[in-house]
């Protein structure tokens, strides 16, 4: 989906009460995502979903939220340790944006790494 352009490339209906995650394999089967970056919200931050994307030779971006407290804590720890030893040789590896939205101040931090060996 390209939200800014109001374009939906493909969507799949899942059986009643099945949940969105059950539709991921069929959705990916309907597209050639080879070499693409598949962006998913926190609902898809599960190993099985990530493997579903990787099997199709795509990369992924997945959101992590506080309701996955153990995973969130491990990721924060991973990047804080990396930040402490100045891993940011490339200036694009950590970006912070602050803005106002939904009646509150929001801070978004994006950290990027290709070395996931320290994460479960």
């Amino acid at each position: 989906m390209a939200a800014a352009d109001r374009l939906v490339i493909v969507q799949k209906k899942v059986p009643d009460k099945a949940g969105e995650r059950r539709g991921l394999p069929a959705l990916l089967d309907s597209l050639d995502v080879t070499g693409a970056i598949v962006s998913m919200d926190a609902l898809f931050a599960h190993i099985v979903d990530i493997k579903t994307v990787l099997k199709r030779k795509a990369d992924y971006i997945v959101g992590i939220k506080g309701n996955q407290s153990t995973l969130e804590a491990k990721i924060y720890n991973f990047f804080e340790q990396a930040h402490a030893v100045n891993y940011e040789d490339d200036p694009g590896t950590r970006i912070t944006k602050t803005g106002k939205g939904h009646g509150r101040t929001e801070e978004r931090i994006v950290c990027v790494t290709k070395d996931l060996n320290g994460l479960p």
Side-chain angles (χ1 to χ4, degrees):
M1 180 166 69
D5 296 323
R6 303 173 115 188
L7 171 67
V8 175
I9 297 170
V10 65
Q11 74 186 83
K12 293 285 183 186
K13 183 176 179 170
V14 295
D16 289 339
K17 310 261 187 211
E20 292 174 52
R21 288 186 57 226
R22 296 247 332 257
L24 182 63
L27 183 71
L28 293 175
D29 285 343
S30 64
L31 296 167
D32 179 7
V33 295
T34 304
I37 299 172
V38 177
S39 175
M40 303 176 290
D41 67 17
L43 175 68
F44 297 94
H46 297 273
I47 291 171
V48 67
D49 297 330
I50 300 305
K51 285 183 178 180
T52 299
V53 172
L54 293 174
K55 269 196 253 179
R56 287 155 178 87
K57 296 183 172 56
D59 289 317
Y60 62 91
I61 297 172
V62 65
I64 305 298
K65 286 184 157 180
N67 62 350
Q68 296 169 307
S69 57
T70 302
L71 178 58
E72 182 188 41
K74 288 179 181 181
I75 290 170
Y76 267 95
N77 183 52
F78 175 86
F79 279 104
E80 290 306 317
Q81 286 183 33
H83 184 64
V85 296
N86 298 316
Y87 81 104
E88 295 108 329
D89 293 331
D90 176 358
T93 58
R94 184 180 178 110
I95 301 166
T96 302
K97 298 280 184 181
T98 305
K100 293 190 182 223
H102 309 288
R104 63 183 179 263
T105 300
E106 298 178 341
E107 180 181 57
R108 296 179 187 267
I109 301 170
V110 176
C111 300
V112 178
T113 184
K114 292 181 181 186
D115 180 9
L116 301 176
N117 292 325
L119 291 171

